[in-house]
Amino acid sequence: MNTLATKSMRITHSAMGKQSMKSLSRSSIKAFTLVEMMVAMLIGLIIIAGIVMLFVSSKQTYRLNTAMTHVHDNGRFAMSYLVSDLRKAGWVDSDIETVDGHSLAAPFDQLKDNVAVTGGKASDSLTVRYYGEENCIGDKPSDGVVQNQYQLEATADGLPELKCNGASLIKNVESFQIRYGVLTADGLKYVASDSVSDISLLQTLQIAFSVASDERNVIDKNVTLNGVLNEGPYTFSDGRYRKVFTSTIVLNNNGHQPPDSLLVSE
């Protein structure tokens, strides 16, 4: 009997112990309160918002850098080509003698000022003339005189293009301006084409054009672009990145000498 009683007491104590452990275990587990859950959600939302803002900022920076790179590369190429070609104005090979001598009397032709262009600003144009094998579109001149006409032309689906003999040199050009350095009694003076009365006084050219990016909304809107030479300023609101390219060209092949009154004597 004692043995049975002892076993019964052990079983009873064991069961009570297990129940006591279960009660303890349950009492030690705590659930999140509503406030704690809301705080955790708020922190998570703040982290997600920060990640989204970082992504958007990185994407916008990438778009701006890409637009700047394209504008700068295209602008530098176009300006380099223009300068190289316009420097040849009036050029005649040393083994050729024309009726004008060893340089053309008319290095430029069809000088125009402030021609209206759809989608762009009123711009200038000119035709450069020199002896050469082919013009800017690969045609060989029958008389040996290359004639390359540069002007801004409208396009059907975008901003104007700067073209040479109808072939695109650079797109998204909104203004193309030319000033002519004319020798006067007071020194060199830059004037528009309609003020060039004597080609022999033409010593230099100033050319400038503004280029816009393909993509819109890469910079703040309502931006004012400083004047392109003496034209402008221009105000834009499409968020495109823009840059003005300018260069001055010395003309070395003018076939005429300036009048004696403007020559410096020693």
Side-chain angles (χ1 to χ4, degrees), residues 135-147:
N135 62 16
C136 60
I137 58 175
D139 293 341
K140 295 183 178 181
S142 58
D143 59 355
V145 179
V146 168
Q147 299 191 65

Side-chain angles (χ1 to χ4, degrees), residues 82-205:
L82 270 169
V83 169
S84 176
D85 201 44
L86 294 177
R87 275 178 179 165
K88 300 175 185 176
W91 167 260
V92 175
D93 288 336
S94 58
D95 58 344
I96 299 176
E97 185 171 359
T98 69
V99 293
D100 299 328
H102 289 290
S103 60
L104 296 179
F108 297 103
D109 193 13
Q110 301 179 32
L111 309 183
K112 298 179 181 180
D113 184 59
N114 284 336
V115 178
V117 181
T118 302
K121 309 301 180 182
S123 296
D124 305 336
S125 66
L126 87 167
T127 298
V128 59
R129 303 175 71 248
Y130 57 87
Y131 264 77
E133 295 183 356
E134 59 182 28
N135 62 16
C136 60
I137 58 175
D139 293 341
K140 295 183 178 181
S142 58
D143 59 355
V145 179
V146 168
Q147 299 191 65
N148 288 333
Q149 183 184 45
Y150 293 96
Q151 63 182 359
L152 213 58
E153 295 186 15
T155 60
D157 56 354
L159 299 178
E161 296 181 352
L162 180 58
K163 294 187 175 183
C164 178
N165 292 347
S168 178
L169 178 61
I170 179 175
K171 65 179 183 178
N172 295 347
V173 177
E174 295 169 307
S175 179
F176 176 53
Q177 306 298 331
I178 308 169
R179 291 295 176 267
Y180 300 84
V182 176
L183 189 62
T184 69
D186 298 323
L188 197 64
K189 181 180 179 181
Y190 284 95
V191 298
S193 60
D194 53 6
S195 298
V196 180
S197 57
D198 187 350
I199 200 70
S200 69
L201 303 179
L202 188 58
Q203 303 295 304
T204 62
L205 286 180

Side-chain angles (χ1 to χ4, degrees), residues 39-55:
V39 170
M41 289 175 63
L42 178 61
I43 294 173
L45 288 174
I46 292 174
I47 294 173
I48 292 173
I51 294 173
V52 171
M53 289 179 63
L54 180 62
F55 172 77

Side-chain angles (χ1 to χ4, degrees), residues 23 30 51-52 61 69 71 186 188 211 240 253-254 259:
S23 297
K30 292 183 179 180
I51 294 173
V52 171
T61 301
T69 299
V71 167
D186 298 323
L188 197 64
V211 184
R240 295 177 190 261
N253 305 307
N254 196 330

